[in-house]
Amino acid sequence: MQEYFDKAIELAKLGVKNLEGGPFGAVVVKDNKIIGYGNNKVLKEKDPTAHAEIIAIRDACKRLNTHDLTDCVIYSIFYPPMP
């Protein structure tokens, strides 16, 4: 599970570095494999729905060619966490 959070942290940092949005990252996992990636792109896309979780879900659906993410788990993180 830690590897999924580590990837989400990496995505959150990338989004901030690229000025895409806030420090949020997410991955969708199925059968112990990451199948969807996302970071906050609200600013870049000028889209208030472009949250990391939504981007990751959209990516997973596209990769699987389906709308059904049964048996998938989403890991989402805000980084760095607030003190």
Side-chain angles (χ1 to χ4, degrees), residues 20-22 39-52 55:
E20 295 175 328
N39 62 282
N40 186 297
K41 295 182 185 272
V42 170
L43 299 176
K44 179 182 179 187
E45 302 293 329
K46 296 175 181 57
D47 178 356
T49 69
H51 292 264
I55 300 296

Side-chain angles (χ1 to χ4, degrees), residues 4 28-35 60 64 66-75:
Y4 308 136
V28 177
V29 176
K30 183 173 184 172
D31 299 327
N32 298 314
K33 181 180 175 190
I34 298 175
I35 58 161
L64 294 178
T66 184
H67 69 282
D68 184 0
L69 295 179
T70 300
D71 299 323
C72 294
V73 177
I74 190 164
Y75 294 85

